[in-house]
Each structure stands twice: as C-alpha cells, then as structure tokens.
Amino acid sequence: MLNLYGAQFTSRLLLGTAHYPSPECLRQAVEASGAEIVTVSLRRESARSRTGQGFWGLIEELGCRVLPNTAGCRTAKEAIATANMARELFGTSWIKLEVIANDDTLQPDLFGLVEAATVLSAEGFEVLPYTTEDLSAAERLVAAGCAVLMPWAAPIGSARGLINRDALKTLRAYFPGTPLIIDAGIGTPSHAAEAMEMGYDAVLLNTAVAKAADPVKMGLAFAKAVEAGRLAFEAGLIEPRDMASPSTPVAGTPFFKIDHAS
C-alpha cells in the first residue's frame, strides 16, 4: 500500500488532468490507469474556463483524491496564496507545491520552494513539493515539514525519462523511510518501471498519457508498468555483472573424450 500523510492507496500511479482531448477521454484514461489520486492546477483550469460544474463533476465521479497544485507560480508568495485558495475550493489540506524558476526547463526554484513549504507546513498544509534530485534541497524540505518528496526525472513534458539515475538512487538511499514520488519527465511505461525498480514509491505523470495517440491504452500500459516495477523491487533485483555467469551449472556435466586418432 502507498501511504501518504496517513492516507493509504492501492495504486502507485498518480495522473494529471490537463491536455486530454475531451473530458470523456480523461475519465476513461483515469479509470484504465487505476489511479486513485489526480492533480488539478487551480490556475491552469481557471485560465481555460474549465472550472464549471461539468469538469468538477467529472472529477467527483472518478472517485479519486484531488491533489491541487500551484503550477504556474513563480514566487513563494504566489504559491502560498494559490495553496490557500485551493484549500478553500477543494476542502483539502493537501497541496502539490510548485515554484518555478525557469521558463525553458520549468525547473523548481529550490529557494522559493523551501520558503513556501516552511510557511504552508506551519499553516497546516500537507505539502508534496515538486523538486529536483538535489539532496540538500530534499533535506531542507523534510526539515520544513514535508513528509513526502516529489523529485523530477527530467523537465516537465520532456519525456526523457530518468536523466540523473545516480542522484535519484542516492536520494532514495538517503531517505529510506520517506515516500518519494517521481514527478515530471516520464515519457514511456519503461521509464516508470525503471523508477519503481529503484525503490521509488510512486510515479506522477500527465503528458505521456494525455497526449498519446490512445490515452486510454497508455493509461493501462503505465498501470501495468508501475505494478511490474514495484513487484520487481520487492522481489529483489540481481546485481549486474561485468562477466558472463552461466545459468546452467557445469558441475556434474559429462564430458566425453574424443579420440582423434581412431
């Protein structure tokens, strides 16, 4: 079971709700994925005039837990204000905290992120911060009160997969008891499976499913990949070797001497 701030979930796949070709496609993709948590951007949905009863009604019908996020915020002050609006609108203290530093990479502003996380945690929010694989930033976020971390695999929407595997492995090893969710940059089900094989607790993605030729099939594919990766981690992966290791033992194998003179 996935345990986040005391709430338990069967699925280890979280989905975003943006960019789908239609509300019906979104509904079917979420159902196919088995996701129990969906993220919603207060700013993005407001900008697209999708805050009507139809969209929110769909989210409620899905029966998923809503994880509001502060996407689009460039400062800690903006993120704090957006989080408070989201708590009032959705009636939840959960917030996916984003403070963006760069328009090209959408990399988190780690200084603003820690500042906002400190304030929001003190105000009773349960913060899930979108961060990088930076270890020092992770330490500060945990010290600020974050019981969950969401490091990126690669820049948002880039579909590049795990571009800094060594750092992500170090982060996992350094915080063995903290739920870690890979967020952003996942492009294929194999990327998600790899993250889960490393011991990450869950994967959050949006673009890879929403912009697929068939979002419903892709949602199902990611569900299977996340499950397979988790099972592999729990089963215990063998260590890679530089040299071959025969799968069939040679001990006890009969050898016959050939007499070339005969």
Side-chain angles (χ1 to χ4, degrees):
M1 298 288 286
L2 175 64
N3 192 313
L4 304 175
Y5 283 108
Q8 293 189 327
F9 304 91
T10 302
S11 173
R12 294 177 180 271
L13 177 62
L14 292 70
L15 282 185
T17 56
H19 304 305
Y20 288 85
S22 69
E24 178 60 20
C25 181
L26 166 62
R27 183 186 65 78
Q28 292 183 18
V30 172
E31 290 177 345
S33 74
E36 297 171 278
I37 302 173
V38 296
T39 63
V40 177
S41 169
L42 183 63
R43 287 192 165 199
R44 184 183 295 122
E45 300 306 332
S46 297
R48 294 181 180 178
S49 300
R50 293 177 60 190
T51 54
Q53 292 301 314
F55 179 72
W56 302 130
L58 171 61
I59 297 299
E60 290 177 355
E61 286 176 12
L62 290 171
C64 297
R65 177 141 191 175
V66 173
L67 174 58
N69 67 43
T70 62
C73 293
R74 294 296 193 274
T75 66
K77 183 178 180 180
E78 279 185 287
I80 292 166
T82 302
N84 277 284
M85 287 189 288
R87 179 161 62 178
E88 182 176 348
L89 176 62
F90 295 105
T92 177
S93 59
W94 278 29
I95 191 71
K96 180 191 169 190
L97 181 62
E98 298 183 29
V99 183
I100 301 302
N102 181 280
D103 289 334
D104 293 323
T105 65
L106 298 180
Q107 178 173 331
D109 175 353
L110 299 180
F111 300 101
L113 187 65
V114 172
E115 179 185 347
T118 302
V119 172
L120 292 173
S121 294
E123 292 181 354
F125 282 89
E126 293 167 313
V127 181
L128 293 85
Y130 162 61
T131 183
T132 67
E133 70 278 19
D134 185 271
L135 186 59
S136 61
E139 290 178 313
R140 285 165 173 76
L141 288 167
V142 170
C146 299
V148 179
L149 299 176
M150 303 181 75
W152 68 355
I156 294 173
S158 66
R160 295 175 62 190
L162 282 61
I163 60 175
N164 196 343
R165 290 169 176 80
D166 289 341
L168 287 171
K169 288 179 180 177
T170 299
L171 190 67
R172 176 68 284 178
Y174 202 84
F175 295 97
T178 301
L180 301 181
I181 301 172
I182 289 292
D183 177 17
I186 296 295
T188 67
S190 60
H191 293 160
E194 182 181 8
M196 298 303 293
E197 288 172 358
M198 283 185 183
Y200 276 78
D201 296 279
V203 171
L204 191 158
L205 54 93
N206 187 173
T207 308
V209 171
K211 291 192 174 181
D214 188 332
V216 179
K217 283 186 177 179
M218 191 61 77
L220 179 60
F222 270 103
K224 292 179 178 294
V226 167
E227 182 179 5
R230 181 65 186 186
L231 284 172
F233 170 73
E234 291 176 346
L237 299 168
I238 64 171
E239 292 294 325
R241 297 169 56 94
D242 292 330
M243 302 295 289
S245 176
S247 57
T248 302
V250 296
T253 302
F255 289 92
F256 300 95
K257 181 178 180 181
I258 300 175
D259 187 355
H260 294 284
S262 60

mmCIF file with all atom_site columns, all heavy atoms in Angstrom, residues 7 19 28 35 48 70 76 82 100 119 121 123 148 170 180 196 211 215 226 229 237:
data_model
loop_
_atom_site.group_PDB
_atom_site.id
_atom_site.type_symbol
_atom_site.label_atom_id
_atom_site.label_alt_id
_atom_site.label_comp_id
_atom_site.label_asym_id
_atom_site.label_entity_id
_atom_site.label_seq_id
_atom_site.pdbx_PDB_ins_code
_atom_site.Cartn_x
_atom_site.Cartn_y
_atom_site.Cartn_z
_atom_site.occupancy
_atom_site.B_iso_or_equiv
_atom_site.pdbx_formal_charge
_atom_site.auth_seq_id
_atom_site.auth_comp_id
_atom_site.auth_asym_id
_atom_site.auth_atom_id
_atom_site.pdbx_PDB_model_num
ATOM 1   N N   . ALA A 1 7   ? -2.889  8.583  4.647   1.00 0.00 ? 7   ALA A N   1
ATOM 2   C CA  . ALA A 1 7   ? -3.905  8.025  3.750   1.00 0.00 ? 7   ALA A CA  1
ATOM 3   C C   . ALA A 1 7   ? -3.278  6.898  2.930   1.00 0.00 ? 7   ALA A C   1
ATOM 4   O O   . ALA A 1 7   ? -2.138  7.017  2.472   1.00 0.00 ? 7   ALA A O   1
ATOM 5   C CB  . ALA A 1 7   ? -4.458  9.102  2.825   1.00 0.00 ? 7   ALA A CB  1
ATOM 6   N N   . HIS A 1 19  ? -4.597  18.603 -20.726 1.00 0.00 ? 19  HIS A N   1
ATOM 7   C CA  . HIS A 1 19  ? -4.217  18.264 -22.105 1.00 0.00 ? 19  HIS A CA  1
ATOM 8   C C   . HIS A 1 19  ? -4.993  17.111 -22.734 1.00 0.00 ? 19  HIS A C   1
ATOM 9   O O   . HIS A 1 19  ? -4.697  16.717 -23.861 1.00 0.00 ? 19  HIS A O   1
ATOM 10  C CB  . HIS A 1 19  ? -2.719  17.957 -22.211 1.00 0.00 ? 19  HIS A CB  1
ATOM 11  C CG  . HIS A 1 19  ? -1.827  19.050 -21.717 1.00 0.00 ? 19  HIS A CG  1
ATOM 12  N ND1 . HIS A 1 19  ? -1.899  20.338 -22.190 1.00 0.00 ? 19  HIS A ND1 1
ATOM 13  C CD2 . HIS A 1 19  ? -0.841  19.044 -20.777 1.00 0.00 ? 19  HIS A CD2 1
ATOM 14  C CE1 . HIS A 1 19  ? -1.001  21.080 -21.573 1.00 0.00 ? 19  HIS A CE1 1
ATOM 15  N NE2 . HIS A 1 19  ? -0.357  20.320 -20.709 1.00 0.00 ? 19  HIS A NE2 1
ATOM 16  N N   . GLN A 1 28  ? -12.001 7.999  -19.061 1.00 0.00 ? 28  GLN A N   1
ATOM 17  C CA  . GLN A 1 28  ? -11.642 6.633  -19.430 1.00 0.00 ? 28  GLN A CA  1
ATOM 18  C C   . GLN A 1 28  ? -10.170 6.337  -19.136 1.00 0.00 ? 28  GLN A C   1
ATOM 19  O O   . GLN A 1 28  ? -9.826  5.224  -18.720 1.00 0.00 ? 28  GLN A O   1
ATOM 20  C CB  . GLN A 1 28  ? -11.940 6.405  -20.908 1.00 0.00 ? 28  GLN A CB  1
ATOM 21  C CG  . GLN A 1 28  ? -13.415 6.401  -21.249 1.00 0.00 ? 28  GLN A CG  1
ATOM 22  C CD  . GLN A 1 28  ? -13.673 6.111  -22.714 1.00 0.00 ? 28  GLN A CD  1
ATOM 23  O OE1 . GLN A 1 28  ? -12.816 5.588  -23.420 1.00 0.00 ? 28  GLN A OE1 1
ATOM 24  N NE2 . GLN A 1 28  ? -14.861 6.455  -23.189 1.00 0.00 ? 28  GLN A NE2 1
ATOM 25  N N   . ALA A 1 35  ? -5.607  4.917  -11.307 1.00 0.00 ? 35  ALA A N   1
ATOM 26  C CA  . ALA A 1 35  ? -5.112  5.972  -10.426 1.00 0.00 ? 35  ALA A CA  1
ATOM 27  C C   . ALA A 1 35  ? -6.164  6.360  -9.398  1.00 0.00 ? 35  ALA A C   1
ATOM 28  O O   . ALA A 1 35  ? -7.349  6.467  -9.715  1.00 0.00 ? 35  ALA A O   1
ATOM 29  C CB  . ALA A 1 35  ? -4.699  7.193  -11.238 1.00 0.00 ? 35  ALA A CB  1
ATOM 30  N N   . ARG A 1 48  ? -8.447  28.325 -18.410 1.00 0.00 ? 48  ARG A N   1
ATOM 31  C CA  . ARG A 1 48  ? -9.115  27.682 -19.536 1.00 0.00 ? 48  ARG A CA  1
ATOM 32  C C   . ARG A 1 48  ? -10.625 27.632 -19.360 1.00 0.00 ? 48  ARG A C   1
ATOM 33  O O   . ARG A 1 48  ? -11.319 26.950 -20.102 1.00 0.00 ? 48  ARG A O   1
ATOM 34  C CB  . ARG A 1 48  ? -8.564  26.263 -19.711 1.00 0.00 ? 48  ARG A CB  1
ATOM 35  C CG  . ARG A 1 48  ? -7.097  26.251 -20.125 1.00 0.00 ? 48  ARG A CG  1
ATOM 36  C CD  . ARG A 1 48  ? -6.596  24.854 -20.310 1.00 0.00 ? 48  ARG A CD  1
ATOM 37  N NE  . ARG A 1 48  ? -5.185  24.868 -20.695 1.00 0.00 ? 48  ARG A NE  1
ATOM 38  C CZ  . ARG A 1 48  ? -4.454  23.780 -20.898 1.00 0.00 ? 48  ARG A CZ  1
ATOM 39  N NH1 . ARG A 1 48  ? -4.989  22.595 -20.733 1.00 0.00 ? 48  ARG A NH1 1
ATOM 40  N NH2 . ARG A 1 48  ? -3.186  23.868 -21.252 1.00 0.00 ? 48  ARG A NH2 1
ATOM 41  N N   . THR A 1 70  ? 0.166   24.095 -7.419  1.00 0.00 ? 70  THR A N   1
ATOM 42  C CA  . THR A 1 70  ? 0.397   25.531 -7.592  1.00 0.00 ? 70  THR A CA  1
ATOM 43  C C   . THR A 1 70  ? 1.154   25.800 -8.892  1.00 0.00 ? 70  THR A C   1
ATOM 44  O O   . THR A 1 70  ? 2.000   26.680 -8.955  1.00 0.00 ? 70  THR A O   1
ATOM 45  C CB  . THR A 1 70  ? 1.168   26.119 -6.396  1.00 0.00 ? 70  THR A CB  1
ATOM 46  O OG1 . THR A 1 70  ? 2.455   25.488 -6.314  1.00 0.00 ? 70  THR A OG1 1
ATOM 47  C CG2 . THR A 1 70  ? 0.413   25.906 -5.098  1.00 0.00 ? 70  THR A CG2 1
ATOM 48  N N   . ALA A 1 76  ? 7.438   32.296 -3.989  1.00 0.00 ? 76  ALA A N   1
ATOM 49  C CA  . ALA A 1 76  ? 6.871   31.654 -2.819  1.00 0.00 ? 76  ALA A CA  1
ATOM 50  C C   . ALA A 1 76  ? 5.552   32.322 -2.426  1.00 0.00 ? 76  ALA A C   1
ATOM 51  O O   . ALA A 1 76  ? 4.587   31.649 -2.053  1.00 0.00 ? 76  ALA A O   1
ATOM 52  C CB  . ALA A 1 76  ? 7.864   31.714 -1.662  1.00 0.00 ? 76  ALA A CB  1
ATOM 53  N N   . THR A 1 82  ? -1.921  30.779 -3.741  1.00 0.00 ? 82  THR A N   1
ATOM 54  C CA  . THR A 1 82  ? -2.642  29.798 -4.552  1.00 0.00 ? 82  THR A CA  1
ATOM 55  C C   . THR A 1 82  ? -3.014  28.577 -3.722  1.00 0.00 ? 82  THR A C   1
ATOM 56  O O   . THR A 1 82  ? -4.117  28.024 -3.861  1.00 0.00 ? 82  THR A O   1
ATOM 57  C CB  . THR A 1 82  ? -1.789  29.382 -5.761  1.00 0.00 ? 82  THR A CB  1
ATOM 58  O OG1 . THR A 1 82  ? -1.468  30.543 -6.535  1.00 0.00 ? 82  THR A OG1 1
ATOM 59  C CG2 . THR A 1 82  ? -2.535  28.390 -6.637  1.00 0.00 ? 82  THR A CG2 1
ATOM 60  N N   . ILE A 1 100 ? 8.265   27.736 -9.766  1.00 0.00 ? 100 ILE A N   1
ATOM 61  C CA  . ILE A 1 100 ? 9.067   27.552 -10.969 1.00 0.00 ? 100 ILE A CA  1
ATOM 62  C C   . ILE A 1 100 ? 10.105  28.666 -11.124 1.00 0.00 ? 100 ILE A C   1
ATOM 63  O O   . ILE A 1 100 ? 9.805   29.849 -10.958 1.00 0.00 ? 100 ILE A O   1
ATOM 64  C CB  . ILE A 1 100 ? 8.165   27.503 -12.218 1.00 0.00 ? 100 ILE A CB  1
ATOM 65  C CG1 . ILE A 1 100 ? 7.161   26.355 -12.084 1.00 0.00 ? 100 ILE A CG1 1
ATOM 66  C CG2 . ILE A 1 100 ? 8.988   27.353 -13.485 1.00 0.00 ? 100 ILE A CG2 1
ATOM 67  C CD1 . ILE A 1 100 ? 7.789   24.993 -11.893 1.00 0.00 ? 100 ILE A CD1 1
ATOM 68  N N   . VAL A 1 119 ? 6.307   27.838 5.260   1.00 0.00 ? 119 VAL A N   1
ATOM 69  C CA  . VAL A 1 119 ? 5.119   28.605 5.640   1.00 0.00 ? 119 VAL A CA  1
ATOM 70  C C   . VAL A 1 119 ? 3.871   27.726 5.601   1.00 0.00 ? 119 VAL A C   1
ATOM 71  O O   . VAL A 1 119 ? 3.063   27.712 6.542   1.00 0.00 ? 119 VAL A O   1
ATOM 72  C CB  . VAL A 1 119 ? 4.940   29.824 4.712   1.00 0.00 ? 119 VAL A CB  1
ATOM 73  C CG1 . VAL A 1 119 ? 3.602   30.518 4.976   1.00 0.00 ? 119 VAL A CG1 1
ATOM 74  C CG2 . VAL A 1 119 ? 6.091   30.808 4.898   1.00 0.00 ? 119 VAL A CG2 1
ATOM 75  N N   . SER A 1 121 ? 3.536   24.429 5.680   1.00 0.00 ? 121 SER A N   1
ATOM 76  C CA  . SER A 1 121 ? 3.539   23.377 6.710   1.00 0.00 ? 121 SER A CA  1
ATOM 77  C C   . SER A 1 121 ? 3.109   23.942 8.057   1.00 0.00 ? 121 SER A C   1
ATOM 78  O O   . SER A 1 121 ? 2.348   23.310 8.797   1.00 0.00 ? 121 SER A O   1
ATOM 79  C CB  . SER A 1 121 ? 4.920   22.740 6.814   1.00 0.00 ? 121 SER A CB  1
ATOM 80  O OG  . SER A 1 121 ? 5.260   22.047 5.635   1.00 0.00 ? 121 SER A OG  1
ATOM 81  N N   . GLU A 1 123 ? 1.143   26.339 8.455   1.00 0.00 ? 123 GLU A N   1
ATOM 82  C CA  . GLU A 1 123 ? -0.277  26.684 8.363   1.00 0.00 ? 123 GLU A CA  1
ATOM 83  C C   . GLU A 1 123 ? -1.175  25.451 8.293   1.00 0.00 ? 123 GLU A C   1
ATOM 84  O O   . GLU A 1 123 ? -2.380  25.576 8.079   1.00 0.00 ? 123 GLU A O   1
ATOM 85  C CB  . GLU A 1 123 ? -0.525  27.568 7.143   1.00 0.00 ? 123 GLU A CB  1
ATOM 86  C CG  . GLU A 1 123 ? 0.100   28.962 7.267   1.00 0.00 ? 123 GLU A CG  1
ATOM 87  C CD  . GLU A 1 123 ? -0.171  29.826 6.053   1.00 0.00 ? 123 GLU A CD  1
ATOM 88  O OE1 . GLU A 1 123 ? -0.759  29.308 5.058   1.00 0.00 ? 123 GLU A OE1 1
ATOM 89  O OE2 . GLU A 1 123 ? 0.181   31.021 6.075   1.00 0.00 ? 123 GLU A OE2 1
ATOM 90  N N   . VAL A 1 148 ? 6.575   13.989 2.328   1.00 0.00 ? 148 VAL A N   1
ATOM 91  C CA  . VAL A 1 148 ? 6.632   13.367 1.003   1.00 0.00 ? 148 VAL A CA  1
ATOM 92  C C   . VAL A 1 148 ? 7.476   14.271 0.119   1.00 0.00 ? 148 VAL A C   1
ATOM 93  O O   . VAL A 1 148 ? 7.396   15.498 0.224   1.00 0.00 ? 148 VAL A O   1
ATOM 94  C CB  . VAL A 1 148 ? 5.226   13.213 0.383   1.00 0.00 ? 148 VAL A CB  1
ATOM 95  C CG1 . VAL A 1 148 ? 5.307   12.576 -1.001  1.00 0.00 ? 148 VAL A CG1 1
ATOM 96  C CG2 . VAL A 1 148 ? 4.322   12.398 1.290   1.00 0.00 ? 148 VAL A CG2 1
ATOM 97  N N   . THR A 1 170 ? 20.800  7.856  -5.066  1.00 0.00 ? 170 THR A N   1
ATOM 98  C CA  . THR A 1 170 ? 21.319  8.398  -3.806  1.00 0.00 ? 170 THR A CA  1
ATOM 99  C C   . THR A 1 170 ? 20.198  8.975  -2.964  1.00 0.00 ? 170 THR A C   1
ATOM 100 O O   . THR A 1 170 ? 20.134  8.764  -1.746  1.00 0.00 ? 170 THR A O   1
ATOM 101 C CB  . THR A 1 170 ? 22.374  9.480  -4.087  1.00 0.00 ? 170 THR A CB  1
ATOM 102 O OG1 . THR A 1 170 ? 23.470  8.908  -4.807  1.00 0.00 ? 170 THR A OG1 1
ATOM 103 C CG2 . THR A 1 170 ? 22.889  10.100 -2.799  1.00 0.00 ? 170 THR A CG2 1
ATOM 104 N N   . LEU A 1 180 ? 8.787   8.755  -1.730  1.00 0.00 ? 180 LEU A N   1
ATOM 105 C CA  . LEU A 1 180 ? 9.350   9.523  -2.843  1.00 0.00 ? 180 LEU A CA  1
ATOM 106 C C   . LEU A 1 180 ? 8.569   9.199  -4.109  1.00 0.00 ? 180 LEU A C   1
ATOM 107 O O   . LEU A 1 180 ? 8.442   8.033  -4.489  1.00 0.00 ? 180 LEU A O   1
ATOM 108 C CB  . LEU A 1 180 ? 10.829  9.176  -3.042  1.00 0.00 ? 180 LEU A CB  1
ATOM 109 C CG  . LEU A 1 180 ? 11.779  9.418  -1.870  1.00 0.00 ? 180 LEU A CG  1
ATOM 110 C CD1 . LEU A 1 180 ? 13.207  9.041  -2.260  1.00 0.00 ? 180 LEU A CD1 1
ATOM 111 C CD2 . LEU A 1 180 ? 11.724  10.867 -1.408  1.00 0.00 ? 180 LEU A CD2 1
ATOM 112 N N   . MET A 1 196 ? 10.320  2.628  -10.467 1.00 0.00 ? 196 MET A N   1
ATOM 113 C CA  . MET A 1 196 ? 9.783   1.763  -9.427  1.00 0.00 ? 196 MET A CA  1
ATOM 114 C C   . MET A 1 196 ? 10.785  0.681  -9.038  1.00 0.00 ? 196 MET A C   1
ATOM 115 O O   . MET A 1 196 ? 10.875  0.297  -7.873  1.00 0.00 ? 196 MET A O   1
ATOM 116 C CB  . MET A 1 196 ? 8.470   1.128  -9.898  1.00 0.00 ? 196 MET A CB  1
ATOM 117 C CG  . MET A 1 196 ? 7.361   2.131  -10.194 1.00 0.00 ? 196 MET A CG  1
ATOM 118 S SD  . MET A 1 196 ? 6.941   3.201  -8.798  1.00 0.00 ? 196 MET A SD  1
ATOM 119 C CE  . MET A 1 196 ? 6.233   2.005  -7.673  1.00 0.00 ? 196 MET A CE  1
ATOM 120 N N   . LYS A 1 211 ? -1.320  13.028 -24.072 1.00 0.00 ? 211 LYS A N   1
ATOM 121 C CA  . LYS A 1 211 ? -1.000  13.337 -25.463 1.00 0.00 ? 211 LYS A CA  1
ATOM 122 C C   . LYS A 1 211 ? -0.653  12.103 -26.293 1.00 0.00 ? 211 LYS A C   1
ATOM 123 O O   . LYS A 1 211 ? -0.204  12.213 -27.432 1.00 0.00 ? 211 LYS A O   1
ATOM 124 C CB  . LYS A 1 211 ? 0.152   14.348 -25.513 1.00 0.00 ? 211 LYS A CB  1
ATOM 125 C CG  . LYS A 1 211 ? -0.257  15.728 -25.009 1.00 0.00 ? 211 LYS A CG  1
ATOM 126 C CD  . LYS A 1 211 ? 0.774   16.779 -25.324 1.00 0.00 ? 211 LYS A CD  1
ATOM 127 C CE  . LYS A 1 211 ? 0.281   18.167 -24.948 1.00 0.00 ? 211 LYS A CE  1
ATOM 128 N NZ  . LYS A 1 211 ? 1.264   19.226 -25.275 1.00 0.00 ? 211 LYS A NZ  1
ATOM 129 N N   . PRO A 1 215 ? -4.904  7.669  -25.278 1.00 0.00 ? 215 PRO A N   1
ATOM 130 C CA  . PRO A 1 215 ? -4.657  7.885  -23.848 1.00 0.00 ? 215 PRO A CA  1
ATOM 131 C C   . PRO A 1 215 ? -5.182  6.760  -22.954 1.00 0.00 ? 215 PRO A C   1
ATOM 132 O O   . PRO A 1 215 ? -4.590  6.478  -21.906 1.00 0.00 ? 215 PRO A O   1
ATOM 133 C CB  . PRO A 1 215 ? -5.375  9.202  -23.557 1.00 0.00 ? 215 PRO A CB  1
ATOM 134 C CG  . PRO A 1 215 ? -5.404  9.908  -24.875 1.00 0.00 ? 215 PRO A CG  1
ATOM 135 C CD  . PRO A 1 215 ? -5.610  8.818  -25.878 1.00 0.00 ? 215 PRO A CD  1
ATOM 136 N N   . VAL A 1 226 ? 4.015   0.309  -13.747 1.00 0.00 ? 226 VAL A N   1
ATOM 137 C CA  . VAL A 1 226 ? 4.251   0.682  -12.349 1.00 0.00 ? 226 VAL A CA  1
ATOM 138 C C   . VAL A 1 226 ? 4.118   -0.535 -11.443 1.00 0.00 ? 226 VAL A C   1
ATOM 139 O O   . VAL A 1 226 ? 4.933   -0.754 -10.535 1.00 0.00 ? 226 VAL A O   1
ATOM 140 C CB  . VAL A 1 226 ? 3.278   1.799  -11.922 1.00 0.00 ? 226 VAL A CB  1
ATOM 141 C CG1 . VAL A 1 226 ? 3.289   1.984  -10.409 1.00 0.00 ? 226 VAL A CG1 1
ATOM 142 C CG2 . VAL A 1 226 ? 3.645   3.108  -12.609 1.00 0.00 ? 226 VAL A CG2 1
ATOM 143 N N   . GLY A 1 229 ? 7.190   -2.817 -12.035 1.00 0.00 ? 229 GLY A N   1
ATOM 144 C CA  . GLY A 1 229 ? 8.395   -2.262 -11.419 1.00 0.00 ? 229 GLY A CA  1
ATOM 145 C C   . GLY A 1 229 ? 8.403   -2.429 -9.922  1.00 0.00 ? 229 GLY A C   1
ATOM 146 O O   . GLY A 1 229 ? 9.442   -2.756 -9.329  1.00 0.00 ? 229 GLY A O   1
ATOM 147 N N   . LEU A 1 237 ? 16.080  -7.366 -7.165  1.00 0.00 ? 237 LEU A N   1
ATOM 148 C CA  . LEU A 1 237 ? 16.768  -7.452 -8.455  1.00 0.00 ? 237 LEU A CA  1
ATOM 149 C C   . LEU A 1 237 ? 18.180  -8.002 -8.278  1.00 0.00 ? 237 LEU A C   1
ATOM 150 O O   . LEU A 1 237 ? 18.856  -7.694 -7.292  1.00 0.00 ? 237 LEU A O   1
ATOM 151 C CB  . LEU A 1 237 ? 16.834  -6.066 -9.105  1.00 0.00 ? 237 LEU A CB  1
ATOM 152 C CG  . LEU A 1 237 ? 15.487  -5.405 -9.412  1.00 0.00 ? 237 LEU A CG  1
ATOM 153 C CD1 . LEU A 1 237 ? 15.695  -3.950 -9.773  1.00 0.00 ? 237 LEU A CD1 1
ATOM 154 C CD2 . LEU A 1 237 ? 14.781  -6.135 -10.532 1.00 0.00 ? 237 LEU A CD2 1
#
